[in-house]
Every structure is written in C-alpha cells, then in structure tokens.
Amino acid sequence: MSFSAVTCHGCSVKERCTKREKNKGRILTLSPQRVHEARERRRAEQTTPTFQQRYAMLAGIEGSLSEGIRSHGLRHARYRGQSKTQLQAQAIAAAINLVRIRQMLQRTTLGLSP
C-alpha cells in the first residue's frame, strides 16, 4: 500500500512514522494474517533463554566461518578433488587457531584478559 507525498505531508502523526525522503510518500507492506501471526510467534520465541543459548553457539560458529572466508580465502578451493579441498580447509582452520593464539598471547602480555 503506497501513500502519496501529499497525504503523508498532511498527516498528523508524520513525525512518529518511519523516516522517508522528504518529497516521497510512505510505502506500507501488509502480510496475510497467517504470515503475520507466524512472524510474531517467531519473534516471541527469539526472546526466550533457550533460543538465545542456541543462537549464542550459532553466532560463534558463524563468526569463525566469516573469519575463514574474509581473511583466509575459505570460500575458494585452490585445488581439485575432495581430499585436497579438505586439506585446504583444515589448514585454514589451523591458521585461524594460530591467529587467535597469537592475539591471546598479545593480550596476556599487555595485561588484558585473554
């Protein structure tokens, strides 16, 4: 559902609305009721301690994968064949561990917590 700039400009609650460009109207997307209810249930589930514990573990894994991809080229295999590709992934994992050990030792030397 789209609102024209004229309609938005004259609205009494415009300041509470989502910020948009000054000369454009607001676009409002309405989902079917069952989709909206499913989304709300999922958002409520995400506030539970059980979900947050599971997500904390997942976030750590995602951080490690992200580091491997960004810093060590994990996404691109340099070799052909499954055994060589697995060896490359293991070497990258070892490199990540060495980088983390070095950072931990540097922090300990500076008197910071590892």
Side-chain angles (χ1 to χ4, degrees):
M1 176 176 260
S2 297
F3 297 94
S4 70
V6 175
T7 304
C8 282
H9 186 67
C11 180
S12 61
V13 291
K14 179 182 176 192
E15 297 304 318
R16 292 176 34 200
C17 194
T18 303
K19 302 293 183 216
R20 298 283 301 170
E21 293 181 32
K22 290 185 178 185
N23 298 330
K24 293 190 176 182
R26 177 130 195 267
I27 299 171
L28 180 65
T29 303
L30 299 174
S31 300
Q33 185 173 357
R34 63 182 178 80
V35 173
H36 173 73
E37 290 170 353
R39 189 178 294 135
E40 290 299 313
R41 281 193 306 273
R42 185 68 174 151
R43 285 180 181 151
E45 179 188 335
Q46 290 174 358
T47 62
T48 63
T50 305
F51 177 87
Q52 291 176 354
Q53 285 177 337
R54 278 193 340 235
Y55 188 76
M57 201 166 52
L58 179 65
I61 294 167
E62 287 179 352
S64 296
L65 283 173
S66 178
E67 181 179 352
I69 290 167
R70 285 181 291 107
S71 303
H72 304 286
L74 182 60
R75 185 167 287 158
H76 302 285
R78 295 175 190 208
Y79 309 103
R80 290 185 185 202
Q82 186 175 4
S83 60
K84 290 180 183 178
T85 304
Q86 286 177 345
L87 180 62
Q88 177 188 346
Q90 291 168 351
I92 290 173
I96 291 171
N97 287 338
L98 289 173
V99 167
R100 289 182 178 177
I101 290 169
R102 186 193 65 185
Q103 290 171 344
M104 183 184 70
L105 291 173
Q106 287 176 340
R107 289 183 60 83
T108 304
T109 304
L110 295 173
L112 301 171
S113 65

